[in-house]
Amino acid sequence: MTLWILLGLAIAIVIWGIAIYNRLIALRTQVANGWSQIDVQLKRRYDLIPNLVESAKDYMGYEQETLKQVIEARNSAITANAGGGMPSQASVAAESALTASLGRFFALSENYPNLKANETVQKLMEELTGTENKIGFARQFYNDSATAYNTAVLSFPNNLIAAGYKFELAELWRVAEAERAAIEATPKVDLR
């Protein structure tokens, strides 16, 4: 009788471990899906930026340094994300720097009416703004997925299985200091 109880208890523990492991795998897969959604939108942004900068060069003659910074930030972001996979602190910082430099570009473009009137530039800016919005939604989905995954990894008794199979915590997408400074430096609009 004792043997049957021990055997039943062992089977229950194995089933419990498999259930926890499968839940952690499902959550980690959801985090990877969230990151791939961001990655797709980032690729689209990388493709749009050179066209926008090239189109704006003729109109923003005195802002060549800003245009150069946008391209450099784009290239740094591509380099930081070159390895693929999940985001690292370096890739998050590089993307935040790119977002900040694009914000400065958009703010400066307000000073050039001819630039704003150019149909090609206007279309590129609209596409880039739409892409930025999609990146924002994708980041929110990713952070929600990463938070659920991290909570599952850290919770008891899941942490016993997670530690045994080396489940690592997912990096959350946070606003970098450079981007936060750009947000706080948003110009005031006076409609008078």
Side-chain angles (χ1 to χ4, degrees):
M1 180 68 173
T2 306
L3 180 65
W4 286 108
I5 293 173
L6 290 176
L7 184 62
L9 187 60
I11 290 172
I13 289 173
V14 168
I15 290 172
W16 167 79
I18 290 171
I20 289 175
Y21 180 81
N22 286 341
R23 182 168 183 264
L24 291 173
I25 291 292
L27 290 171
R28 187 168 64 186
T29 303
Q30 191 171 8
V31 171
N33 178 40
W35 173 245
S36 68
Q37 297 296 324
I38 293 173
D39 202 31
V40 166
Q41 297 305 324
L42 292 178
K43 170 77 171 89
R44 177 167 170 71
R45 178 165 73 168
Y46 297 153
D47 293 343
L48 288 171
I49 288 172
N51 294 331
L52 180 62
V53 168
E54 193 60 37
S55 299
K57 272 184 179 175
D58 294 338
Y59 298 98
M60 297 178 72
Y62 298 108
E63 306 294 346
Q64 293 300 314
E65 187 62 30
T66 301
L67 298 175
K68 183 180 170 188
Q69 289 173 355
V70 169
I71 291 297
E72 287 175 356
R74 172 196 175 265
N75 293 340
S76 294
I78 289 172
T79 302
N81 288 321
M86 301 304 284
S88 64
Q89 287 182 347
S91 65
V92 171
E95 290 299 332
S96 294
L98 177 57
T99 300
S101 68
L102 282 174
R104 284 191 297 276
F105 171 80
F106 284 134
L108 285 174
S109 69
E110 296 294 322
N111 298 332
Y112 297 90
N114 290 339
L115 176 68
K116 290 173 52 179
N118 182 295
E119 191 173 314
T120 302
V121 170
Q122 191 66 29
K123 185 178 176 184
L124 286 169
M125 290 178 86
E126 287 173 8
E127 286 187 40
L128 199 52
T129 300
T131 301
E132 291 293 324
N133 290 335
K134 290 176 184 175
I135 290 170
F137 288 123
R139 285 178 180 168
Q140 183 178 0
F141 174 74
Y142 170 81
N143 275 347
D144 290 345
S145 300
T147 300
Y149 169 74
N150 288 345
T151 301
V153 167
L154 295 172
S155 299
F156 181 81
N158 297 357
N159 59 352
L160 301 174
I161 301 295
Y165 288 97
K166 301 190 183 326
F167 282 83
E168 296 180 9
L169 294 177
E171 185 76 32
L172 290 177
W173 198 286
R174 294 188 170 98
V175 176
E177 289 303 317
E179 192 174 352
R180 187 177 309 280
I183 292 169
E184 292 171 356
T186 302
K188 293 181 181 177
V189 177
D190 186 3
L191 300 176
R192 286 186 272 162

